[in-house]
């Protein structure tokens, strides 16, 4: 069941989403060569605590054999697609692309957003991957309007990414978000248009393209959390929590 939010619920949700946006602002201002991925975790935890929120990701159940997720962030570097666990020994190098996924919970609602940061002297191809991933999100939300179908978003993301020579991860997808971090509907980043439920005012969705430089096949790390590209090539991630309105979609996690 897709849960349509009331105006009062949306106002509460805006606060959680704003906190996520502020976390990304802090990461963007501080990320640099020589930091550890655990340093990123500490930056985000400080912002979440400062604003009286709770980290959404802590305690999330994983795949079979995985411990509940223990951190506030997922920090994934280069060929890591998603769910990279922060580690004080994992040092950010010159030229790395670093995907940071953040969730915050306040007033009974979650916000969720991810960005891939380019650190130092990034290669032209890595830069193009990050830029195409970001733009694929914006191509998708051109269809995040009342009356379109859910797969219209999915199709637009895939079409743009593949037209630029990249591939779209199949096994993981966007999702509804609200009182629960993951709600219906699931939102693939690929597929034919004109399918799935029609979009309605009050839907809140986490749209999140995960785009690979090479093939879309994945591998799972030994911790049963980290997801990497099977061919070892780069991957990028871009996500906002959006609100379907009577007009253009509102990006709730953008500050």
């Amino acid at each position: 069941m897709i849960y349509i939010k009331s105006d009062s619920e949306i106002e509460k949700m805006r606060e959680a989403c704003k906190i996520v946006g502020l976390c990304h602002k802090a990461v963007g201002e501080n990320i640099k060569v020589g930091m550890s991925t655990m340093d990123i975790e500490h930056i985000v935890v400080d912002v979440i605590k400062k604003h009286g929120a709770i980290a959404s990701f802590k305690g999330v159940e994983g795949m079979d054999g995985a411990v509940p997720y223990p951190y506030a962030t997922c920090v994934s570097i280069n060929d890591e697609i998603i769910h990279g666990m922060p580690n004080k020994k994992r040092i950010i190098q010159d030229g790395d692309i670093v995907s940071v996924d953040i969730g915050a919970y306040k007033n009974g609602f979650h916000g969720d957003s991810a960005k891939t940061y380019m650190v130092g002297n990034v290669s032209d191809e890595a830069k193009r991957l990050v830029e195409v991933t970001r733009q694929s999100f914006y191509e998708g939300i051109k269809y995040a309007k009342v009356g379109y179908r859910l797969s219209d978003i999915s199709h637009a993301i895939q079409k743009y990414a593949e037209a630029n020579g990249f591939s779209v991860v199949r096994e993981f997808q966007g999702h509804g978000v609200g009182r629960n971090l993951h709600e219906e509907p699931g939102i693939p980043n690929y597929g034919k248009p004109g399918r799935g439920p029609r979009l309605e005012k009050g839907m809140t969705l986490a749209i999140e393209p995960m785009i690979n430089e090479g093939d879309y096949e994945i591998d799972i790390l030994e911790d049963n959390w980290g997801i990497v590209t099977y061919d070892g090539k780069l991957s990028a991630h871009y996500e906002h929590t959006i609100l379907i309105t009577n007009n253009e979609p509102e990006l709730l996690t953008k500050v």
Side-chain angles (χ1 to χ4, degrees):
M1 177 179 176
I2 301 174
Y3 188 60
I4 306 298
K5 280 72 174 181
S6 67
D7 289 346
S8 61
E9 288 173 323
I10 291 165
E11 283 306 311
K12 291 179 180 179
M13 194 167 170
R14 278 198 177 97
E15 187 169 358
C17 288
K18 181 179 180 180
I19 292 166
V20 174
L22 292 172
C23 288
H24 275 293
K25 184 173 185 290
V27 171
E29 290 172 349
N30 289 280
I31 193 169
K32 61 183 179 181
V33 173
M35 295 179 74
S36 73
T37 57
M38 188 61 76
D39 291 330
I40 301 296
E41 168 79 2
H42 292 157
I43 289 169
V44 170
V45 168
D46 286 348
V47 175
I48 289 174
K49 287 183 176 179
K50 177 182 176 182
H51 290 88
I54 297 170
S56 297
F57 297 170
K58 282 191 175 182
V60 169
E61 295 294 329
M63 296 178 286
D64 292 345
V67 299
Y69 197 76
Y71 299 108
T73 62
C74 300
V75 187
S76 308
I77 300 178
N78 294 336
D79 67 325
E80 295 173 331
I81 301 168
I82 49 173
H83 302 164
M85 286 194 185
N87 188 325
K88 65 182 180 181
K89 295 182 180 179
R90 187 73 192 276
I91 305 302
I92 298 170
Q93 306 293 326
D94 183 45
D96 281 346
I97 60 172
V98 184
S99 299
V100 182
D101 198 354
I102 302 167
Y105 178 77
K106 190 172 183 180
N107 298 328
F109 290 90
H110 295 270
D112 188 7
S113 175
K115 294 182 181 181
T116 299
Y117 296 88
M118 297 180 284
V119 184
N121 298 299
V122 174
S123 69
D124 289 343
E125 185 65 4
K127 185 180 296 185
R128 196 171 76 86
L129 172 65
V130 173
E131 291 172 348
V132 167
T133 301
R134 179 182 183 277
Q135 187 58 35
S136 71
F137 166 87
Y138 285 99
E139 294 298 316
I141 67 167
K142 289 178 180 178
Y143 299 89
K145 299 176 184 179
V146 171
Y148 283 105
R149 291 193 180 275
L150 194 68
S151 75
D152 295 332
I153 298 173
S154 307
H155 178 72
I157 290 169
Q158 179 184 17
K159 182 179 178 181
Y160 185 80
E162 292 182 352
N164 280 278
F166 299 123
S167 66
V168 179
V169 172
R170 264 53 170 178
E171 288 86 351
F172 295 89
Q173 60 184 357
H175 51 91
V177 59
R179 290 191 181 277
N180 297 300
L181 179 60
H182 298 103
E183 298 182 347
E184 291 295 326
I187 310 166
N189 294 304
Y190 69 99
K192 295 181 179 180
R195 299 183 176 184
R198 290 198 182 275
L199 301 177
E200 299 179 37
K201 180 178 181 290
M203 287 181 176
T204 48
L205 310 172
I207 310 295
E208 51 176 320
M210 291 156 270
I211 308 299
N212 292 350
E213 177 186 23
D215 193 81
Y216 61 75
E217 292 186 2
I218 67 166
D219 204 357
I220 303 171
L221 298 181
E222 289 183 0
D223 61 14
N224 277 333
W225 274 109
I227 307 297
V228 299
T229 60
Y230 186 79
D231 58 15
K233 293 187 177 181
L234 299 175
S235 185
H237 187 193
Y238 193 85
E239 173 189 23
H240 277 296
T241 297
I242 71 166
L243 169 67
I244 303 298
T245 74
N246 282 328
N247 299 298
E248 297 295 320
E250 179 181 348
L251 276 59
L252 297 176
T253 44
K254 187 172 183 178
V255 296

